[in-house]
Amino acid sequence: MFIDEARIFVKAGDGGDGCQSLYRDRVNRIGTPDGGPGGNGGNIIFEADGNIHTLLDFQFRQHFKADPGLNGSSNHKKGHYGNDRHIKVPPGTIIRDAENGLLLRDLAHAGDSVIIAKGGQGGRGNSRGREATKGAAGEEKTVKLELKLIADVGIIGYPNAGKSTLISKISKARPKIASYPFTTKEPVLGMVRLYDDLNILVADIPGLMEGAHEGRGLGHKFLRHVERTKTLIHLIDIAATDCRDPYSDYVKLNKELKEYSKELARKPQIVVLNKIDCPQSEENLRAFKKKMKTRKFLKISALTGEGIRELLIALGKNVK
Ligand SMILES: Nc1nc2c(ncn2[C@@H]2O[C@H](COP(=O)(O)OP(=O)(O)OP(=O)(O)O)[C@@H](O)[C@H]2O)c(=O)[nH]1
Ligand SMILES: [Mg+2]
């Protein structure tokens, strides 16, 4: 299962209490205040780690606490600070306050980090001549994590266009393939080797349809996964197995992209006509050629492998 959302509770460490103490000896009978301050509580820090790819770990663990600061003690000794708690998440994780949906931080790149809950400050000791105080409580929050896949290339297209067949042809990913729409319900990632030293991550997402930006079909929930890709493969069923017109599929899907996000619609697209092995494709192809004026397109059969080489070459040029 592909987990791309999680809700977790975090609590930073409380500050240690300040110490109330008087130093007395044979000469000093009244006593001199010598209570040290408490240590600060540990912070909750989220860190993007390139070795983690899913939010799966948060299925099993949802509560995280940082260490409290220790209390101050006599002889002006300051309490030890509490250790910070580092929570590792995959790059591309967006952290929101679960209560109001406010964006707290977008950890887009590996190495990015942010303090989400601050540890409480340690209390004051009485050594400064005033009453000792208690440590402040550490912040606590429920946060929602959302992961946007950071693939290099996203395959978009209507249901049944052959997106999953294509990714299984060019990578080791083995998603379910079937002749009914919405076979793919969750994004699937596949590593595609273009040259010896160039591997790219390709995402197969569930099929899109008219009204996807309003949530129709499996909807826009999945469009966010391709928002950060460098290139899109726009896959079109040129055999029109579901009896739609391939060119109007192309136009409608681009309109959907635009409705969802202008930035997404501006992304480079490789238009790929699939299923050219089917006999009815020839006629559809001629009609498509006549209407398509703005972009070049490639022809493939994800089933037989025809045209895949040319597609990979085009991908290499686009992703570089
Ligand atoms: N003849 C032929 N059939 C194909 C080709 N590519 C895919 N198919 C068939 O088309 C149907 C749908 O393929 P999928 O790969 O599941 O399509 P999808 O775009 O992932 O569909 P959803 O996940 O439902 O959006 C399957 O029956 C495939 O066998 C092709 O190049 N030629
Ligand atoms: Mg699929």
Side-chain angles (χ1 to χ4, degrees), residues 115-179:
I115 297 178
I116 288 294
K118 244 180 122 32
Q121 192 147 32
R124 190 179 60 217
N126 72 337
S127 64
R128 296 266 165 92
R130 282 189 281 169
E131 284 271 291
T133 56
K134 288 210 167 299
E139 282 182 333
E140 53 181 58
K141 264 194 195 107
T142 305
V143 293
K144 202 172 140 205
L145 307 180
E146 289 171 11
L147 173 64
K148 290 189 181 187
L149 294 180
I150 306 190
D152 302 298
V153 177
I155 309 178
I156 56 163
Y158 267 77
N160 270 339
K163 301 177 292 300
S164 303
T165 313
L166 176 60
I167 202 169
S168 66
K169 195 82 187 175
I170 58 178
S171 75
K172 290 208 168 71
R174 291 289 173 267
K176 185 171 167 186
I177 293 169
S179 57

Side-chain angles (χ1 to χ4, degrees), residues 13 201 316:
L201 200 57

Side-chain angles (χ1 to χ4, degrees), residues 163-164 176 183-184 204-205:
K163 301 177 292 300
S164 303
K176 185 171 167 186
T183 313
T184 307
D204 165 26
I205 65 164

Side-chain angles (χ1 to χ4, degrees), residues 215-235:
R216 253 190 94 194
L218 293 176
H220 65 296
K221 185 169 169 231
F222 295 104
L223 275 174
R224 69 163 187 254
H225 292 300
V226 291
E227 254 177 286
R228 294 184 183 187
T229 56
K230 295 183 190 132
T231 298
L232 297 174
I233 293 180
H234 187 154
L235 200 64

Side-chain angles (χ1 to χ4, degrees), residues 14-35:
D14 295 336
D17 295 341
C19 172
Q20 178 84 21
S21 145
L22 289 175
Y23 172 77
R24 287 194 182 94
D25 59 16
R26 273 188 305 173
V27 204
N28 179 2
R29 302 238 164 191
I30 304 166
T32 318
D34 73 341

